[in-house]
Amino acid sequence: MSRSSGPAELPLAISRDVPESIPTQLAEQLRAHILAGTLAPADALPSTRALAARLDIARGSVVAAYEQLSAEGYLETSKGGTRVTKNLKLQEVLGARSGGTQPGHLPRSQQVMLSNGEPLVAGGGVRPPRPPVPPRNRTINLTPGSPDTSLLASTAWRASWRVAAAEPTANYGASGSPALQYQLAEHLRTMRHTVCAPHEIMVTAGARDGFRLLLSSLRTQRRERPLRIAVENPGYPSLYQIPAVFGHEIIPVRVDQHGLDPASLPAEAPDLVLVAPSHQYPLGASMPVTRRLELLDWARENNAYIVEDDYDSELRYVGDALPALTALSRQHPDDRTIMLGSFSKTLTPALGLGFMLAPVSLHTDILRLRRVMGNPVSALTQDAATHFFARGGAHRHIARMRRVYRQRRETLVTALAQSRLPDWVNVLPMDGGLHLVLEFTGVYASAGYETLVCETLMRSGVEVAALGDYWAHAALTSRSLPPTGTDVPSDAQRTFGVVLGFGVEAPHRLQAAAQKMTQVLDSMGVA
């Protein structure tokens, strides 16, 4: 079985206010992850030194926890490090804990953890990648959403495409390559704490492709009537403009510091709610678990579905990556969440690759429609991606880019602080992603001033995006909005400012951009 080559990224928390010792807390949490399926046989664990540094605890505590789990048979240590025991008899362990439950009656997550997969092996050396070419234009590109793709062409990346091209596959079925589905299931398990069977994953050409497919399937299921879709306001225009184009009813819902509030949803329940719970775009809110559970309860009570836009959750710089909303939903028999994923931010938008994970109640209808429409992702792309994931290339690249982006984020935040922005400009807190938001306050919080700032910055050689462009009323026609009861805010209720992307520029250019922005904003202040 081909497992993810890098250490699994797990949510672990140590408390010094409980009676249990730190080694006991750590051992209990790791044991729970093994039994829940988020850690599977042969998975690598972080080194004792790395985990101790991450949790800010003594290395001896990690050593003691690992030794305890090794003595219990959960872990094994070799020259390659510490791993979950390869031949761990989870059937026996789980049976003993549940009073003799038979393997055939295990919960779905545990059955998935015990299933077999076919590994793909790719080999051969290639030339080392060329160093990135520095930008030739003088304009500093701080438009949000653009990742740095100059570091992607590693040996593993080039070898994956060479192997895929050497033996091209003619075609795959509607769901995609079974080998790629397996690798995506492993990616969701280790990176997003979501356990699923490979066949439940639909390979897509990105989040928008998956969303279009979902809308088409649901419209047929709901007898061809237009769907009512609640969207975060402000939110990600490229997704909520899609249903508007197809004549569906868009219901903008205001977000607060914790994301979308289920209590703000209209009395006439929508069919879908589109949310980004782990990292709301563009304001950056992370939805707490209490609100996530409220949203899932609301969906079950109203026969609605939650569409989780999981666009860049791996790029989190403060604390552990948050488990996906889908991971919570799948623990309930009435799963109401559809996860849309894409690798445009973590790898490259040029790949045109994503996935959709839908509940059983929708999967059959979506698959039937996909068979009619065909899968738009080429077999060559799917094979190359399969090799790249199987060789650990994706895991290593995402970990590397997280470090690179964290450094660039810190550089930009520090440079803005040192440049002393005017007191009417706030830097909103942002725990992850590829952008920052500068919020305008007081008399400067207006659409006209926002536009003026963006135009002046462009003439000064810094390209940014206007925060006002992310509000629903700025992107949708009045015909696309419901006639009454909408939550489209007036200018006085909206947030204005600029959105700054730091994905593509080098640190020294980010520092230069911060200085230019401060100069422009200072010059535009009112005495």
Side-chain angles (χ1 to χ4, degrees), residues 7-21:
E9 300 186 7
L10 301 168
L12 299 169
I14 297 299
S15 173
R16 291 171 172 80
D17 299 325
V18 297
E20 290 82 5
S21 68

Side-chain angles (χ1 to χ4, degrees), residues 41-65:
D43 271 356
L45 268 67
S47 69
T48 55
R49 192 180 306 277
L51 188 54
R54 180 183 137 200
L55 299 177
D56 192 23
I57 60 177
R59 181 172 174 239
S61 295
V62 182
V63 172

